[in-house]
Amino acid sequence: MIHNKKQLTQLLAMVLLLNAATNVSAENSKEEDFSFDKIVVTAQRMETKELDTPASTTVITAQELKDTGAINVFDALDHTIGVNSFSYGTGGGEYGAMLSRVMIRGLDKGTLVLVNGAPVNLMNYNTMRVIPVEAVERVEIVKGSNAVLYGAEAMGGVVNIITKKATGDNSGSISSTYGNYYKDNSLLVNGKDFMFFYKKEFSAEVDEHSRIFTKDSTTGAKTDKINLGKGNNESMFLNLNLSDELSLNYSYSNAESTYNRWSGKTATQPYSLSKSIYYDKRSNVNLVYDNKEAAFKSVLAYNSINLKGGGAATTDYDMYSINFDNQKTWWLRDGKDSLIAGLTLQREHNGRNYSSANFDRDSYALYGSYSREMSDKFTVTLGLREHIVKANEYDASQNIMLPQLQTLYKINDNTSWYTNIGKSFEMPATSSPFTKNVSTAIKLKPQEGWTYETGLKRINGNEAFKVALFAMNIDNKFAWVKENTVIPGGDKNLSVQINRDKFRNKGIEMEYSKKLNESWQYNLGASFSDPESKTGTGDWAQDAAKLQLSTGVTYTEKKLLTNLDFFYAGKREFAYYTMNGSTASAANYDHRLGNRIDLDATVRYKATDSDVITLSGYNLLDRDNPVSNTEYWSTPLNYRLTYTHNF
C-alpha cells in the first residue's frame, strides 16, 4: 500500500528508469555463464557436484548476489525455498538482543552458520552481519541434519559463507550507493597476495516499523509504538594469501543504531518516548591451511560480538567463540571410496560487563564419514560423530553419539536419487545461566532429534529440477517464557529459556531453473510443510509459515542485466501479541501473521568497461510484511542507486 505522494513519485521514477534501461543497446559481451550443476564443498567436506551430493543443496554465487542487488547475506537467503531469513533493520540492522536470524525448515535456533567452514553462531543465533556481501565468493545452503560433520546446531541445516581470495592482479573499485532508506560508500583493492574491502553504511529512520497497538481494546489505554531511528555501520574485510596453502581472512564491523518506543498508559495521556542506542562491534578471523596434495585441511577461527546499550537500553554483552578443526581425506580402492576423519575443539564464552558473571563452555569431537561405491550407480555414506561437552558450573557433561546414513543412486548421467538420515543436537544458549534462579531451578537439556529426507535431482544442460521430501522430529525444543511462569516468585518481566516438549515438521520442497537462451533465465520454487511445536499446555501449535512460493527471471543483453524476484509466505502462524498488545497464548490467540509478499527488481547497466550503474528496488508493492512473529515489518518501498568504477 502506497501511503503518500512522495512514495508514489519514487515508485513512478523507478518504473520509468526500469523501462528506460530495458531499451538500452550496447556492444559488450554477455555476463559470464555458469553451470546449474555447481560445486558443493559443505555437504560432504569435499568438492562434489550438486548432482552427486546426497543432500538438499543450494549454491548462491557471487555473480548471483550481484544480480539480485543483495547488500548482505540475509538478503541473499531471503527468497530461498525452505529458508526464513530476516533482519530487523534496513541493511541487516540489529538492535541489542533483536538479532537477525536464519531458520531452515521452520526450526528457530537450529541453523548453523559457518564462515569458511568454521562455526560463527553465538548464543544460539546465527550471526552473518560481520561478513560484507562484497567479500563473499559463494553461499552454500545444505538442508537437513549435518551434525556429523559440523556438530551442534546443524539441525535444520547449514549455511556456509565462503569468502573471496585475492585475484592475483592489481585492480580495484570504488562504489557509492544512494537510496531513500540506505546509503553507502566502499573501496575494494586487489593485489597479488591480498584483497582489502572497506564500506561505510548509513540507514535512515523508519517510522511505524511494527504493528502499532494504538489502544487497549478493554481499557482504551494507549499501547506501544515502535520506530527505528538512524544508524550507521563501518565494515572491512581483508584476505592475505600467506602461501599457496595458507590464507588469513579478517572481517570487522562497527555499527550504531537507535530504537525508539513511544508508550502511553491512559487513553488521554500523550505518548512518552523511550530512546535506546545500541553499539555493536563484531569481528571474525580465520586462518585456513588447505593442502590439496596431502588432502589435509585445518581451520582456526575466532568470532566475537560486543553489544552495548545507551539511553533506555541496558545491553552489555561480550561473546566469542574459538574453533579449531582438522580434517584428513583418504582415497581408497583406486579412488572409488573416500574416508574423511577429523577432530574439532571449541570454546564458547558469554560475559556481561556490568556483573562478574562469565560463562565458558568447552567441547570437542571426533568425526568420520566413509563413502563406498557399491556399484557404478549406487554409493552409500556412513557418518559418525562423538561429541563431548565438558561439565561446568551450569551444564552437566554431555556425551552425544551422532550417526548419519546417506545414499545416492545415479539413475542416469543427469538424474540422481538420494536419501539422508541423521541425528542432530543443540546445547542451550550460553546466555541462559545468567538469568535469575535458572541455574538452580531449571536444568536445561540439549534439544536433539532426527531428520529424514529423500529427494530427486535432474540437472541437464540448461535446466535443473530438484524435489525433496523431509520429516523432522526434535525433542526438548528450546522456548523462551517469562520466569514467573516456571519459577515460583520469578520475575514476570524476565524471559528465560526452557525445554518445551517437541518440534516436528514434514513437507515437500520443489525448485526448477531454466536457461531459455543466452538472454533469458528463470526459476520457480515451492515449499509445503507443517511446522509445529508443543505449547505449555501440551497442545500442538503451528510454528512457522506452511507455504512458500518464489519465482525469479533474469534478462541479460550485452551491457544490460535486469532481474525480477517474487516471494510469498502464506498460511502463517499465530502472532506473538494479540491485537491489544498483550502476550498471546492458546487461550487468547486472535490473529495470524499476515501473508508476506515481496517483489524486488534490479537493473544493472555497464556504461563502459570500467563504469557500472545499478538500480535496485525492494518491496515494490510497499506492503507491511511481517518478517517475525512479533510483527516487525520489512522496510517499506525503497530503492538504491549504485555507481561503481573499476580500475
Side-chain angles (χ1 to χ4, degrees), residues 216-332:
D216 186 295
S217 61
T218 302
T219 65
K222 295 182 178 181
T223 54
D224 291 353
K225 171 182 177 180
I226 304 299
N227 165 282
L228 300 184
K230 295 180 180 179
N232 64 81
N233 183 39
E234 186 176 41
S235 61
M236 63 172 289
F237 173 78
L238 175 67
N239 164 253
L240 293 175
N241 293 330
L242 304 176
S243 70
D244 291 341
E245 293 87 19
L246 186 64
S247 64
L248 174 70
N249 304 285
Y250 172 67
S251 299
Y252 171 81
S253 71
N254 184 6
E256 178 182 327
S257 55
T258 56
Y259 179 87
N260 303 320
R261 180 188 293 270
W262 284 268
S263 300
K265 297 180 180 179
T266 69
T268 58
Q269 176 186 352
Y271 279 110
S272 61
L273 172 62
S274 173
K275 184 174 183 179
S276 300
I277 304 174
Y278 294 101
Y279 306 94
D280 184 332
K281 293 183 180 180
R282 308 187 185 198
S283 61
N284 177 271
V285 186
N286 56 77
L287 190 65
V288 181
Y289 177 77
D290 190 1
N291 189 325
K292 297 187 182 301
E293 184 176 345
F296 178 80
K297 185 175 182 179
S298 182
V299 179
L300 176 62
Y302 172 82
N303 188 61
S304 71
I305 299 180
N306 175 258
L307 297 175
K308 293 184 183 297
T314 58
T315 302
D316 198 348
Y317 294 94
D318 272 313
M319 298 172 283
Y320 69 77
S321 66
I322 302 173
N323 185 274
F324 186 43
D325 184 273
N326 304 271
Q327 73 169 67
K328 168 71 177 173
T329 303
W330 292 269
W331 295 98
L332 310 172

Side-chain angles (χ1 to χ4, degrees), residues 304-443:
S304 71
I305 299 180
N306 175 258
L307 297 175
K308 293 184 183 297
T314 58
T315 302
D316 198 348
Y317 294 94
D318 272 313
M319 298 172 283
Y320 69 77
S321 66
I322 302 173
N323 185 274
F324 186 43
D325 184 273
N326 304 271
Q327 73 169 67
K328 168 71 177 173
T329 303
W330 292 269
W331 295 98
L332 310 172
R333 294 206 306 151
D334 296 325
K336 293 182 179 180
D337 302 344
S338 66
L339 171 64
I340 293 177
L343 168 68
T344 296
L345 308 173
Q346 185 178 46
R347 161 159 285 196
E348 301 168 88
H349 171 85
N350 191 304
R352 293 187 177 183
N353 295 325
Y354 55 79
S355 71
S356 59
N358 287 282
F359 174 58
D360 294 308
R361 177 189 289 153
D362 297 322
S363 61
Y364 57 93
L366 291 170
Y367 61 87
S369 180
Y370 176 60
S371 293
R372 181 174 181 85
E373 186 179 294
M374 310 300 289
S375 69
D376 291 341
K377 293 187 175 183
F378 187 57
T379 302
V380 176
T381 301
L382 295 174
L384 192 65
R385 184 184 190 94
E386 180 74 10
H387 197 105
I388 298 172
V389 182
K390 297 180 65 176
N392 51 60
E393 63 263 48
Y394 300 114
D395 296 326
S397 62
Q398 300 288 336
N399 189 343
I400 303 172
M401 184 73 73
L402 301 168
Q404 186 174 29
L405 169 66
Q406 297 172 293
T407 66
L408 182 78
Y409 181 73
K410 292 293 291 289
I411 298 174
N412 54 47
D413 290 341
N414 303 314
T415 310
S416 62
W417 168 52
Y418 71 88
T419 60
N420 183 15
I421 302 170
K423 185 180 180 182
S424 57
F425 84 107
E426 181 174 10
M427 291 295 293
T430 53
S431 59
S432 295
F434 292 121
T435 52
K436 182 182 178 182
N437 298 324
V438 168
S439 61
T440 56
I442 301 176
K443 291 299 182 183

Side-chain angles (χ1 to χ4, degrees), residues 485-560:
T485 64
V486 291
I487 299 175
D491 188 342
K492 66 179 181 180
N493 297 314
L494 181 64
S495 294
V496 297
Q497 192 177 54
I498 65 169
N499 291 118
R500 282 281 193 231
D501 194 354
K502 293 178 180 295
F503 170 88
R504 64 188 183 190
N505 192 10
K506 57 184 180 296
I508 181 172
E509 297 164 347
M510 296 174 287
E511 298 176 74
Y512 179 75
S513 301
K514 175 74 173 180
K515 189 175 181 66
L516 296 172
N517 50 46
E518 291 299 317
S519 297
W520 288 96
Q521 178 180 311
Y522 70 91
N523 61 271
L524 303 168
S527 172
F528 305 90
S529 63
D530 188 21
E532 53 185 2
S533 61
K534 276 197 174 180
T535 65
T537 61
D539 300 318
W540 288 97
Q542 186 179 336
D543 222 26
K546 291 186 176 183
L547 174 63
Q548 287 185 339
L549 302 172
S550 72
T551 184
V553 59
T554 301
Y555 174 76
T556 306
E557 183 60 37
K558 298 179 181 178
K559 291 184 178 181
L560 174 72

Side-chain angles (χ1 to χ4, degrees), residues 189-203:
V189 179
N190 257 306
K192 180 181 179 182
D193 294 311
F194 79 93
M195 183 183 76
F196 174 77
F197 176 81
Y198 172 84
K199 178 192 279 188
K200 182 71 174 181
E201 301 168 272
F202 303 90
S203 55

Side-chain angles (χ1 to χ4, degrees), residues 455-482:
L456 185 74
K457 302 179 184 180
R458 178 173 175 79
I459 303 175
N460 182 16
N462 293 329
E463 65 179 344
F465 173 72
K466 295 183 284 187
V467 60
L469 295 168
F470 68 90
M472 303 170 63
N473 289 288
I474 308 298
D475 293 325
N476 304 320
K477 181 182 184 295
F478 297 138
W480 290 91
V481 299
K482 298 303 181 184

